[in-house]
Amino acid sequence: MAIANVGEPLQSLRMILRTLAALAAVLVLGSASSAQTPATATLPFVLKQVGPGVYAAIDGPEHRAGSNAGFVIGDDGVLVIDSFFNLDAARALVGQIHRLTPKPIRFVVNTHYHVDHTGGDQALRDAGAIIVAHKNVRGWVRVNNINLLGDRITPEMKNRIDALPLPDVVTDKDLIIWLGSRKVVIRTVLGHTGGDLTVFVPDANVLFTGDMLWRRIPPNLIDGSVKEWTATDADFERMPDAAHTIFIPGHGDVANVKDVADFREYLADLRRLVVDGRKAGLNGDALAQAVLLKLKSLHPDWTISDRAGATEVRYMDQEIAGTKKRPIPTRD
Ligand SMILES: [Zn+2]
């Protein structure tokens, strides 16, 4: 999505324009044929049931939602995971939840601060949810999302980020949230931003990974530590019954443990190739070209754009050189 690779201003702009065009088309379509068009036909995401009362909302091919989200229906209420990039997509998610259950939406857990996962929080709050996040998200969600978008930010977007709701409940420790008798386990994990949570539903064996997992799409490394990130993914692979765990990535389709291993290998390959390139005296564009050529041949089923790939190589290079800037935890 637009925000998925922040080093890609042009591609992102194109995606935003495509999104706007798609939304316009939806509005026209909606007014012309709302009577016979099922509500799900125009959703910006594909809703997939992945367990009893557990749903993944996977960003559609046009990337109108901007990222994946999901929700868990418990005995006495609903817990939502992430809120997409924009309010319309989040409102559509609320509509789908209300269609499936009369139970109240009680929580939204933000897996991290990036606006493509928190942009719709207000729609969830309006629907009754308490916003739960890592403690660093409170300090980062307004300030660092401005940095994240860099020179692509529009005045409208800046206003939207300035007004993003701050989380109500924050933690730097693991948490259990009970939806009646249904247990939901929130864990703090390292690697993507320095303020990441995963959401596990033990009775359905479903793990919402946030951006700790991307399926066949290069991840956004802007705030990341590949070293910590690969360790977290190795932990996912060692989960009890990982072979049957359903993993909902932050971006890309519903995944399994093989996808987790594939993603971890991708990150490890990226790191190794950048180390090798540096040893061979390469830097800048030459380093990016050499790394991407090999990376694409090692992962032919991935969609790796040159622009996104070059940005990744740059961040990886900075991490190896020890010059990588990561978000700094703010005081309470
Ligand atoms: Zn992210």
Side-chain angles (χ1 to χ4, degrees):
M1 135 80 211
I3 308 310
N5 270 296
V6 293
E8 295 189 281
L10 282 176
Q11 192 190 1
S12 299
L13 188 63
R14 255 181 248 129
M15 274 181 165
I16 289 167
L17 291 173
R18 231 182 289 148
T19 302
L20 290 174
L23 287 174
V26 166
L27 287 175
V28 171
L29 198 86
S31 57
S33 58
S34 55
Q36 64 269 42
T37 308
T40 51
T42 57
L43 289 176
F45 49 82
V46 180
L47 202 58
K48 297 189 174 182
Q49 186 169 6
V50 290
V54 186
Y55 292 81
I58 303 294
D59 194 9
E62 293 159 331
H63 303 290
R64 285 155 53 209
S67 71
N68 296 337
F71 57 91
V72 184
I73 304 173
D75 300 329
D76 62 354
V78 179
L79 178 147
V80 178
I81 299 100
D82 282 342
S83 64
F84 299 127
F85 179 56
N86 58 58
L87 286 165
D88 286 348
R91 285 190 193 111
L93 186 69
V94 169
Q96 290 304 300
I97 294 169
H98 288 331
R99 195 175 62 80
L100 287 162
T101 178
K103 294 172 187 173
I105 299 174
R106 296 179 59 202
F107 305 97
V108 55
V109 178
N110 289 151
T111 58
H112 61 295
Y113 81 87
H114 287 166
V115 67
D116 52 329
H117 297 259
T118 55
D121 274 359
Q122 189 61 49
L124 272 304
R125 179 176 273 174
D126 292 345
I130 286 170
I131 303 171
V132 181
H134 189 282
K135 74 190 269 273
N136 289 339
V137 170
R138 239 184 114 82
W140 293 348
V141 73
R142 290 179 181 164
V143 177
N144 288 39
N145 273 314
I146 304 277
N147 303 341
L148 184 78
L149 294 173
D151 56 8
R152 289 169 304 143
I153 201 156
T154 61
E156 184 269 334
M157 195 64 211
K158 186 176 179 305
N159 289 341
R160 207 152 80 68
I161 289 172
D162 283 342
L164 281 175
L166 299 178
D168 305 295
V169 174
V170 296
T171 186
D172 58 358
K173 299 187 176 59
D174 296 352
L175 279 182
I176 291 174
I177 295 179
W178 291 96
L179 300 170
S181 64
R182 192 159 211 190
K183 187 182 191 179
V184 180
V185 182
I186 318 293
R187 291 207 174 90
T188 59
V189 287
L190 298 176
H192 179 53
T193 62
D196 293 83
L197 300 176
T198 60
V199 178
F200 184 54
V201 190
D203 66 22
N205 200 10
V206 175
L207 180 70
F208 291 87
T209 66
D211 279 0
M212 302 311 307
L213 174 65
W214 299 50
R215 187 175 179 274
R216 298 183 192 172
I217 306 168
N220 180 352
L221 301 184
I222 186 170
D223 296 326
S225 155
V226 166
K227 193 167 176 236
E228 294 173 353
W229 203 328
T230 46
T232 295
D233 284 308
D235 287 344
F236 291 166
E237 291 167 66
R238 285 192 293 263
M239 282 170 59
D241 206 20
H244 301 106
T245 303
I246 296 165
F247 295 87
I248 312 303
H251 300 266
D253 209 346
V254 174
N256 59 32
V257 71
K258 285 192 189 127
D259 296 308
V260 179
D262 183 41
F263 178 69
R264 185 177 49 75
E265 276 159 28
Y266 178 89
L267 289 177
D269 287 340
L270 174 67
R271 185 182 168 83
R272 180 177 48 77
L273 292 170
V274 173
V275 166
D276 290 352
R278 287 169 57 94
K279 275 189 196 145
L282 299 175
N283 56 43
D285 287 347
L287 178 66
Q289 272 177 20
V291 169
L292 288 177
L293 199 68
K294 288 179 187 152
L295 207 52
K296 283 178 187 175
S297 73
L298 288 169
H299 300 273
D301 51 357
W302 282 53
T303 309
I304 306 170
S305 80
D306 287 340
R307 191 181 288 273
T311 307
E312 270 184 74
V313 170
R314 185 158 49 82
Y315 287 134
M316 189 71 254
D317 192 26
Q318 290 170 359
E319 182 178 330
I320 293 163
T323 56
K324 180 85 191 279
K325 287 200 190 109
R326 301 193 68 203
I328 298 159
T330 44
R331 294 168 72 92
D332 292 339

